[in-house]
Amino acid sequence: RLHLVTWNVGTASPPPDVTGLLQLDSLGPAMDMYVIGLQEVNSRITNFLSDLAFDDPWSIFFMTVLSPLGYIKLSSVRMQGLLLLVFVKHVHLPFIRDLHTHYTRTGLYGYWGNKGGVTIRMSLYGHTICFMNCHLPAHMENTEQRLDDFEKILEMQFEGENIPSTLDHDVLFWFGDLNFRIADYGIHFVRESINNKRYNLLWEKDQLNMAKKKEAFLQEFIEGPLQFKPTYKFDLYSDVYDTSEKKRKPAWTDRILWRVKNLCQNASKEGEFSEEEQPISVTLENYISHMSYGISDHKPVTGTFGLELKPLLSDPLVTLNPKGEWNAEHDGLINYSSVPEFPSSAWDWIGLFKVTFKHANDYITYVWVEDDEIASNKDSKQVYMCAAEIPDTGGEFLLCYYSNNLQSIVGISQPFQIQPNRTLTEKDLTQAENRRIQKPDNLESHDEF
């Protein structure tokens, strides 16, 4: 299950609560992945320089919400006010590979990043998935410019060998503040249709729907029905449409679309391709706006999807586990093995993480797989972790193997307990835990700015 968010946050700070936005109170199964695309994140120079050194407030906010629930920040990419975050459940980490990010500026003829797209792609259980968060030009008259900019974003190429072009991914999600408006109809007709919940009267004049009928490259993109109020433009902290002098006409500017490559290739081969044979399918569970969020003049939109994948990968590249019981008084031993084709490196490392870790650099300590190796045979290897680096307070932890060549976690252990240091008094343990809590989070290198 994939939950995708798009939200133009209008330079605001995060709200107090996002339970509804992330559907954390849903009675259904938990999400496997969250993909969060924001536009107009505060990028004033003082904020931006601060964000270069530290995670931006929105990334920190979502990590704080999701890490206690067993999600880690898999990847992020930022270009000025555009931010794209991907969070995933621990269990899927060994089967996510070939992570790459990219950004495309389209503002000021490609020289300025106030408009454009930020993209994250990956291989998920052997299938290629691409997420594209866009902020396209505003105003009613700029439909052609929006389409031209989107075509330019689609043409970008990821750095690296054997990475497919954007449209060659098995699944491509396109979302963001796409800024398409409702043409022809006057503001009174539009507002009256909305008040009567007769949204269907407006669909045929929605500029994106109109463009999809004419532009071949858009016809392969699928969107759920627009059965929610247009999400722009609202007075702040209200569900009242713009009462300023400009009185902007409401519009569905904030959208989520997707494209499945196999469906495109086989659309003309009716009868030759059954659903059972399809290696990947995407099902939209819901497509809604969230009217209760009022920090900007846009309402956030979410899409919840079921991704049905025929796994092309069944084994992690690296399998690892702690040897025996661990306690904080002795060195810990770690056993690991890798598949024959794994491209290991002297710069690979194994990290000790709290079970609620936030991202790959949020480790307690780590060991180099070569420098700290103490035993090896054709089937497995063993490394040690110094007792001095193991937290005296003990607790529940995970081991993760980080591949330098693949720039990602490729193996993760089951959670396990470390017994506290019995030679310390209860007062010592409390002080040690307090020191650990007060220690600043590990800094994380950013992908793109």
Side-chain angles (χ1 to χ4, degrees):
R1 296 185 79 217
L2 163 70
H3 190 69
L4 203 153
V5 177
T6 179
W7 193 3
N8 182 322
V9 297
T11 74
S13 299
D17 182 74
V18 285
T19 299
L21 184 71
L22 301 182
Q23 306 215 332
L24 300 177
D25 50 2
S26 169
L27 298 177
M31 304 298 171
D32 295 284
M33 183 181 289
Y34 283 97
V35 177
I36 300 166
L38 305 179
Q39 306 87 40
E40 292 195 24
V41 172
N42 194 335
S43 58
R44 290 195 300 254
I45 190 67
T46 51
N47 299 81
F48 192 67
L49 291 174
S50 169
D51 295 348
L52 280 170
F54 304 97
D55 264 314
D56 67 275
W58 282 93
S59 295
I60 293 169
F61 173 72
F62 282 115
M63 282 191 285
T64 303
V65 170
L66 290 170
S67 65
L69 303 177
Y71 299 90
I72 80 152
K73 191 182 86 170
L74 179 73
S75 184
S76 66
V77 56
R78 181 169 177 189
M79 179 183 71
Q80 286 180 227
L82 271 170
L83 176 64
L84 178 56
L85 303 162
V86 176
F87 293 85
V88 67
K89 278 280 191 186
H90 298 162
V91 66
H92 302 298
L93 281 174
F95 305 99
I96 297 174
R97 301 175 192 172
D98 301 324
L99 269 167
H100 289 82
T101 63
H102 199 278
Y103 63 89
T104 306
R105 300 184 183 96
T106 59
L108 266 183
Y109 308 102
Y111 289 101
W112 190 240
N114 65 321
K115 294 290 190 291
V118 289
T119 308
I120 295 175
R121 63 87 56 199
M122 68 189 71
S123 164
L124 176 66
Y125 290 92
H127 299 275
T128 54
I129 314 287
C130 189
F131 300 100
M132 182 177 288
N133 172 27
C134 296
H135 193 183
L136 301 181
H139 307 307
M140 179 72 71
E141 65 275 12
N142 285 332
T143 303
E144 291 304 317
Q145 187 63 53
R146 287 188 272 277
L147 296 174
D148 288 347
D149 283 7
F150 180 49
E151 279 199 279
K152 180 182 177 184
I153 295 166
L154 282 176
E155 289 167 1
M156 69 88 185
Q157 295 288 328
F158 292 98
E159 292 182 10
E161 295 181 10
N162 303 319
I163 301 175
S165 65
T166 312
L167 290 174
D168 277 332
H169 282 73
D170 296 326
V171 182
L172 169 61
F173 288 93
W174 171 39
F175 49 95
D177 179 359
L178 307 184
N179 255 321
F180 290 101
R181 307 304 170 99
I182 297 171
D184 299 341
Y185 296 141
I187 189 170
H188 296 296
F189 179 80
V190 171
R191 289 194 175 188
E192 195 63 28
S193 300
I194 294 168
N195 290 338
N196 294 322
K197 296 186 177 179
R198 300 184 70 184
Y199 309 131
N200 59 308
L201 297 179
L202 308 175
W203 292 345
E204 66 177 22
K205 294 300 181 181
D206 171 79
Q207 290 176 333
L208 180 53
N209 285 340
M210 293 163 72
K212 283 183 68 179
K213 293 176 181 176
K214 295 192 301 181
E215 304 288 345
F217 77 101
L218 288 180
Q219 289 167 6
E220 297 171 347
F221 284 91
I222 306 165
E223 183 179 18
L226 295 168
Q227 293 176 339
F228 50 85
K229 293 170 71 169
T231 51
Y232 173 84
K233 171 183 172 124
F234 288 89
D235 291 345
L236 294 183
Y237 300 103
S238 79
D239 57 4
V240 177
Y241 284 107
D242 187 17
T243 59
S244 71
E245 287 183 13
K246 291 183 178 178
K247 283 192 170 56
R248 296 281 190 205
K249 188 162 60 168
W252 285 290
T253 55
D254 309 280
R255 312 285 278 269
I256 300 172
L257 299 93
W258 72 99
R259 176 186 184 276
V260 181
K261 183 183 172 188
N262 285 333
L263 290 181
C264 303
Q265 290 177 339
N266 291 279
S268 60
K269 301 179 184 177
E270 195 172 342
E272 292 181 25
F273 193 73
S274 70
E275 194 160 322
E276 288 75 24
E277 295 169 339
Q278 197 168 317
I280 183 168
S281 65
V282 179
T283 306
L284 179 66
E285 294 182 7
N286 63 50
Y287 185 35
I288 57 175
S289 65
H290 297 262
M291 294 296 294
S292 63
Y293 295 93
I295 60 172
S296 83
D297 53 4
H298 291 252
K299 300 299 181 183
V301 170
T302 62
T304 305
F305 297 87
L307 265 64
E308 198 164 332
L309 308 169
K310 181 179 180 180
L312 304 178
L313 301 172
S314 54
D315 297 315
L317 292 173
V318 174
T319 304
L320 73 166
N321 58 276
K323 181 174 172 58
E325 289 191 0
W326 278 36
N327 67 64
E329 300 165 47
H330 303 290
D331 293 348
L333 297 179
I334 302 164
N335 290 332
Y336 76 93
S337 60
S338 58
V339 296
E341 65 271 20
F342 174 58
S344 62
S345 159
W347 296 103
D348 291 355
W349 50 272
I350 294 173
L352 179 69
F353 294 83
K354 279 282 192 183
V355 289
T356 55
F357 73 111
K358 297 175 181 175
H359 48 73
N361 285 351
D362 191 24
Y363 49 78
I364 303 299
T365 185
Y366 66 90
V367 294
W368 298 106
V369 295
E370 288 198 7
D371 290 355
D372 297 300
E373 184 178 302
I374 56 173
S376 174
N377 60 46
K378 65 181 179 67
D379 296 320
S380 67
K381 296 184 179 182
Q382 193 172 87
V383 296
Y384 81 100
M385 188 166 281
C386 179
E389 302 295 327
I390 297 172
D392 286 323
T393 53
E396 192 175 21
F397 294 86
L398 292 161
L399 294 167
C400 294
Y401 188 111
Y402 187 88
S403 164
N404 183 66
N405 285 332
L406 300 179
Q407 293 287 295
S408 62
I409 291 172
V410 296
I412 185 167
S413 75
Q414 292 294 318
F416 67 100
Q417 289 288 331
I418 297 179
Q419 298 304 316
N421 190 331
R422 290 170 295 184
T423 63
L424 296 182
T425 65
E426 189 171 325
K427 181 180 177 182
D428 292 332
L429 288 171
T430 302
Q431 289 175 342
E433 180 65 12
N434 287 339
R435 283 196 300 272
R436 190 194 64 77
I437 291 170
Q438 291 166 7
K439 188 181 75 172
D441 284 343
N442 291 311
L443 296 184
E444 180 185 15
S445 61
H446 286 244
D447 289 308
E448 319 268 349
F449 288 93

